[in-house]
Amino acid sequence: MSALRKLLLPKSKSVVISNSAIFLSRRGIASKLFVGGLSFYTTEKALSEAFSLHGQVIEAKIVTDRVSDRSKGFGFVTYASEDEAEKALQEMNGKPLNGRVVFVDYAKPKTDGGCMPIARGPPEPPVEQ
């Protein structure tokens, strides 16, 4: 860690970088929650208001279908700290929101969606020799 700081910092000792600043991306994933089972009528504002009772909400996002622009029934809530996210997970998991019981879990990192093979019909029969 000290070698990394030496590379990133000038010789001045007045500048200090904390470990949390270096690993900011890890912290961002840990404070983001997945919310499933949402009503199709739940708005991002309503989602943010419901989860803001348990901490400072940075962002509330509902995933929508590209074609119909209708909610897919799940979303994500980002908190300012991991402690607030943990509290919200414990308090909101299994609780009703807009008439539906929601399921809350930590969000998982995005995976590359381009790995799905394209189906091109049945496989060709083996060649006999």
Side-chain angles (χ1 to χ4, degrees), residues 41-129:
Y41 304 108
T42 302
T43 63
E44 289 180 355
K45 182 178 178 184
L47 183 65
S48 178
E49 288 174 358
F51 278 81
S52 66
L53 300 173
H54 307 288
Q56 180 185 0
V57 174
I58 303 297
E59 178 187 32
K61 180 75 177 154
I62 294 179
V63 178
T64 57
D65 184 68
R66 291 182 194 170
V67 178
S68 66
D69 202 35
R70 183 177 175 189
S71 168
K72 288 189 171 186
F74 68 92
F76 298 93
V77 178
T78 307
Y79 279 94
S81 73
E82 293 179 25
D83 295 334
E84 293 171 341
E86 174 68 27
K87 180 182 174 189
L89 183 131
Q90 292 174 356
E91 295 291 324
M92 292 296 291
N93 190 26
K95 301 289 194 258
L97 179 65
N98 289 352
R100 303 257 332 239
V101 175
V102 295
F103 301 97
V104 184
D105 197 4
Y106 287 109
K108 305 210 178 2
K110 288 184 179 180
T111 58
D112 185 19
C115 295
M116 182 68 93
I118 299 173
R120 303 215 185 261
E124 295 182 19
V127 179
E128 295 181 29
Q129 293 182 2

Side-chain angles (χ1 to χ4, degrees), residues 1-10 16-20 22:
M1 183 60 103
S2 63
L4 180 61
R5 285 185 181 157
K6 287 178 185 176
L7 290 173
L8 296 174
L9 295 178
V16 176
I17 294 180
S18 68
N19 291 342
S20 62
I22 293 175

Side-chain angles (χ1 to χ4, degrees), residues 12-40:
S12 168
K13 296 192 185 249
S14 63
V15 179
V16 176
I17 294 180
S18 68
N19 291 342
S20 62
I22 293 175
F23 298 108
L24 184 61
S25 63
R26 180 173 177 233
R27 180 183 169 269
I29 292 172
S31 62
K32 192 172 198 174
L33 298 177
F34 168 83
V35 184
L38 292 173
S39 166
F40 293 125

